[in-house]
Amino acid sequence: KNKYKKILWYFSHFTFSNSVSLLLYFTLKMFEFNTNELFIAIAPISLSVNLNYFLILYPKKNILLYDLPYYSFVQHFMTSFIIINELEYIEYDSFYDILNYNYFILYGILITYFNYYIRGVWTYGIVNLYSYKGWKLFLQFNFVSFISSLSLYSIKYYL
């Protein structure tokens, strides 16, 4: 029973879920599967997770940027560079593809509720979806994801 709660704890954290999704993307790509849609869905989320980490969670740690542990650096900086580099190999079918990140947003809402009902805690201890503050945080994440998606599309086709 505790193994399942631990697995749920990992997947309720967007950083971990996103990292698994990126690993899945690169694994499938290595075996020459068409992973274009997967990348278009998870890349903006990855950038949003990274940006929100520095907007929300990092300031609560009260440490300087150069004191950031290696695993946080790799998780939140390097994935951004990998995504921007990978953008060269991605093709959008239409402008509306920038909204594909909403699949991961839906996953995030479902796993957050599931985490709360199984474990009795909200994701990161701050994403309480029964409060105004929790939905405000969710909407901020969604907005940053939209801006990230729009930025990736713009970088791909206009820069």
Side-chain angles (χ1 to χ4, degrees), residues 39-79:
F39 182 84
I40 290 170
I42 62 173
I45 295 295
S46 183
L47 293 179
S48 182
V49 164
N50 298 341
L51 288 171
N52 280 307
Y53 174 78
F54 288 104
L55 291 172
I56 298 166
L57 296 177
Y58 173 74
K60 294 179 184 220
K61 292 186 176 198
N62 292 325
I63 59 174
L64 298 172
L65 189 59
Y66 57 81
D67 289 334
L68 197 63
Y70 177 75
Y71 62 87
S72 289
F73 173 77
V74 169
Q75 197 74 343
H76 298 290
F77 273 121
M78 295 309 291
T79 55

Side-chain angles (χ1 to χ4, degrees), residues 98-152:
I98 67 168
L99 299 175
N100 286 354
Y101 71 90
N102 283 307
Y103 294 120
F104 196 92
I105 295 289
L106 180 62
Y107 160 80
I109 290 173
L110 293 175
I111 199 72
T112 299
Y113 275 118
F114 193 62
N115 184 43
Y116 179 72
Y117 286 118
I118 300 296
R119 295 182 54 238
V121 294
W122 292 104
T123 301
Y124 295 113
I126 58 174
V127 187
N128 180 347
L129 295 181
Y130 287 147
S131 71
Y132 170 76
K133 184 179 177 186
W135 279 104
K136 181 181 172 194
L137 188 63
F138 164 74
L139 290 173
Q140 174 187 338
F141 183 79
N142 201 359
F143 180 72
V144 172
S145 297
F146 176 73
I147 296 300
S148 298
S149 187
L150 189 60
S151 298
L152 288 171

